[in-house]
Amino acid sequence: MKNSPSPKPPSQKSLPRKLLLVGAGHAHIGLLRQLIDAKNRLNSLNNLQITLVTEQPQTIYSGMLPGWMAGHYSLADISIDAKSLCKRAGVRFIQQKLAKVEADSSSLSTTKNNTFDYDLLSLNTGADTDIRWLNNDQEQADISKKVIPIRPIYPFVERWQQIIADAKGSDQYHLAIVGAGAAAVELVLAAQYRLQQINGINNNNNNYQAYLVCGDHLLPSFNERFRQKVIGQLERHNVKIIYSKAKGYSEGQLYTNTDALSMNAVIAATGVTGSAWTDYTDLQTVDDGFIAVNETQQSVSHSNVFAVGDVATRVDQDMAHSGVHAVFGGAVEADNLLAYLADKPLKRYKPKNRTLYLLSCGDKYAIGSWGKYSTQGRWVWTLKRHIDKRFVKSANR
Ligand SMILES: Cc1cc2nc3c(=O)[nH]c(=O)nc-3n(C[C@H](O)[C@H](O)[C@H](O)COP(=O)(O)OP(=O)(O)OC[C@H]3O[C@@H](n4cnc5c(N)ncnc54)[C@H](O)[C@@H]3O)c2cc1C
């Protein structure tokens, strides 16, 4: 971590010519859409070269991932085609993985050892799953062979298909989801629903069973009424809740602080930590490798670098890493990139006090939360499906 003097803001004489976008997260999808919609109006950007460097041509929309796992959606239903958006927006698309950012020299490199320089950089690469609960470094290094992290999502999608194939080919299958947040709950309910489909829904044995290993507290950041509704749904689906801390997984045994559980597979949904590449940057970082940004989503150490979504942490106020902030903060950040290029004032991202949270429950049922209020039912799932489908459709349009 290193501080360096900020470059001067752009002047009309020397406007930036190379805009480099890394990661096809929410902000960059939104920016691509803006560029497509306003293509004929962005005359001032005519000499600008915009490039998107990202790992995959498709971005999976995490809000619909549990619905896909449960079998309600196809992969196409939950994918945003970043490559096609680039083509239509006149943006160069490069499928590579970021490895290092050298902000002092305004350049970055990828895992294929290609180097890119920029005048203006925007980082929207999301975060990695925090797997430091695994009890030794070797296990963390071997994670791809053992515990399956939910992030990054693309490899997870492949692993889930393998889990389902393995479960279908076995007489019994036991799967643990480690985590205590809303994502872990949605994943375990989706997993249990899908395993029960394999089992035959009327067969009341537990040969195919999902477990939620959640430590001492389930949903620590939600209120008690919401938590009780969630526990009711976990019970309705016969999910086994294990109130112990997971410590490690080897040779089919998930070790907790109280027990050893036989598991065919273990999925980690245990919060986020900075992406691996943040170990190799001179950008200022905070906490566990998140890019430190201010209220305009601008790096606090290098003003020609912006970062938003799970990759960044705001230094001026507490803000959770969540899709809501990635979407709304991303929209502000996208506007700020265009403002920066045109030498105009930047906007501040002011998060709302309350946001709607819709938690899917495996079958076509969901729980909604708005501040201290919560509700549940099939209609909540229908509402969630409508919002999610509209989101993906408008991103791909
Ligand atoms: C199952 C699940 C359900 C969720 N549901 C909700 C919800 O209902 N509401 C909510 O607010 N939040 C939810 N979240 C959290 C939400 O998914 C994230 O906060 C959000 O997706 C972060 O968006 P982002 O724009 O930062 O990046 P992402 O959406 O993670 O996108 C990152 C992009 O960067 C690319 N990338 C990654 N690393 C590199 C690299 N090294 N080089 C190049 N490209 C790279 C990826 O391929 C991807 O295109 C959920 C999470 C999960 C796992």
Side-chain angles (χ1 to χ4, degrees):
M1 180 171 109
K2 195 158 104 182
N3 276 316
S4 72
S6 302
K8 285 181 189 152
S11 71
Q12 288 297 345
K13 283 180 202 146
S14 61
L15 288 177
R17 298 274 58 98
K18 278 188 196 168
L19 167 58
L20 194 51
L21 312 171
V22 187
H26 291 288
H28 292 167
I29 297 292
L31 178 64
L32 292 171
R33 283 251 41 100
Q34 279 200 51
L35 292 174
I36 292 168
D37 292 344
K39 213 169 177 181
N40 301 325
R41 284 186 281 123
L42 293 175
N43 294 336
S44 60
L45 300 181
N46 270 351
N47 294 325
L48 183 72
Q49 185 193 92
I50 311 179
T51 305
L52 173 71
V53 177
T54 192
E55 227 182 329
Q56 299 291 341
Q58 309 274 337
T59 293
I60 306 287
Y61 177 45
S62 60
M64 292 173 88
L65 185 73
W68 170 76
M69 291 165 63
H72 305 314
Y73 302 122
S74 69
L75 205 49
D77 288 335
I78 69 166
S79 301
I80 298 168
D81 191 342
K83 187 175 179 182
S84 155
L85 290 176
C86 281
K87 197 171 174 195
R88 288 187 281 149
V91 169
R92 189 160 67 124
F93 176 86
I94 296 188
Q95 188 181 344
Q96 283 188 37
K97 187 173 178 179
L98 177 62
K100 184 178 186 180
V101 175
E102 289 175 291
D104 286 349
S105 56
S106 293
S107 74
L108 58 81
S109 45
T110 64
T111 50
K112 288 188 179 164
N113 275 330
N114 289 116
T115 303
F116 298 85
D117 58 351
Y118 58 81
D119 296 314
L120 178 58
L121 172 65
S122 175
L123 297 162
N124 189 198
T125 56
D128 288 344
T129 304
D130 186 352
I131 46 146
R132 287 168 300 174
W133 54 271
L134 284 169
N135 48 15
N136 65 51
D137 291 349
Q138 189 52 41
E139 271 193 71
Q140 291 181 25
D142 284 353
I143 189 158
S144 60
K145 295 186 205 121
K146 297 181 174 181
V147 169
I148 303 168
I150 185 68
R151 296 196 159 278
I153 286 184
Y154 221 88
F156 172 79
V157 162
E158 284 172 14
R159 303 287 296 273
W160 177 252
Q161 287 165 324
Q162 190 58 51
I163 286 175
I164 294 305
D166 291 349
K168 281 181 176 164
S170 313
D171 295 337
Q172 58 169 32
Y173 201 89
H174 289 214
L175 169 67
I177 314 291
V178 181
V185 169
E186 283 195 280
L187 294 173
V188 79
L189 283 163
Q192 176 74 344
Y193 178 75
R194 193 70 186 274
L195 290 176
Q196 292 297 301
Q197 302 294 309
I198 296 171
N199 198 32
I201 197 84
N202 296 321
N203 187 351
N204 225 356
N205 64 41
N206 63 355
N207 285 350
Y208 297 82
Q209 177 67 47
Y211 298 74
L212 180 63
V213 181
C214 64
D216 300 335
H217 295 290
L218 184 61
L219 296 171
S221 55
F222 287 84
N223 67 45
E224 189 53 32
R225 265 184 281 180
F226 183 78
R227 191 170 16 256
Q228 288 309 322
K229 284 192 172 78
V230 168
I231 289 171
Q233 291 306 311
L234 290 166
E235 287 172 357
R236 178 169 73 86
H237 284 277
N238 294 320
V239 170
K240 294 210 179 346
I241 311 174
I242 312 282
Y243 288 99
S244 304
K245 284 198 170 85
K247 299 273 184 196
Y249 179 56
S250 69
E251 294 176 14
Q253 295 292 308
L254 175 64
Y255 297 98
T256 72
N257 55 346
T258 56
D259 227 337
L261 307 160
S262 291
M263 291 293 156
N264 296 85
V266 175
I267 294 171
T270 36
V272 289
T273 188
S275 289
W277 68 261
T278 59
D279 284 345
Y280 306 95
T281 186
D282 52 0
L283 287 164
Q284 188 170 327
T285 59
V286 284
D287 301 331
D288 302 308
F290 297 100
I291 307 303
V293 296
N294 63 19
E295 61 201 359
T296 60
Q297 300 296 145
Q298 207 168 7
S299 155
V300 296
S301 61
H302 296 77
S303 65
N304 65 335
V305 178
F306 287 71
V308 73
D310 284 1
V311 74
T313 288
R314 281 272 291 267
V315 293
D316 58 314
Q317 69 173 97
D318 279 345
M319 205 187 294
H321 293 105
S322 81
V324 170
H325 296 313
V327 171
F328 291 111
V332 171
E333 197 251 19
D335 285 347
N336 281 348
L337 292 174
L338 298 177
Y340 187 98
L341 291 166
D343 205 15
K344 290 189 174 151
L346 305 181
K347 289 183 192 167
R348 296 167 180 183
Y349 170 51
K350 292 187 207 134
K352 293 181 187 139
N353 290 336
R354 283 187 295 188
T355 49
L356 178 65
Y357 204 99
L358 300 173
L359 185 144
S360 57
C361 300
D363 54 354
K364 295 178 177 177
Y365 194 96
I367 307 174
S369 142
W370 173 258
K372 62 181 182 178
Y373 303 104
S374 56
T375 184
Q376 61 186 332
R378 296 203 174 271
W379 71 270
V380 183
W381 193 83
T382 306
L383 174 68
K384 177 170 168 52
R385 183 184 58 180
H386 173 74
I387 294 171
D388 287 345
K389 282 192 130 183
R390 192 180 55 181
F391 181 80
V392 172
K393 195 175 167 193
S394 73
N396 277 317
R397 121 187 96 83

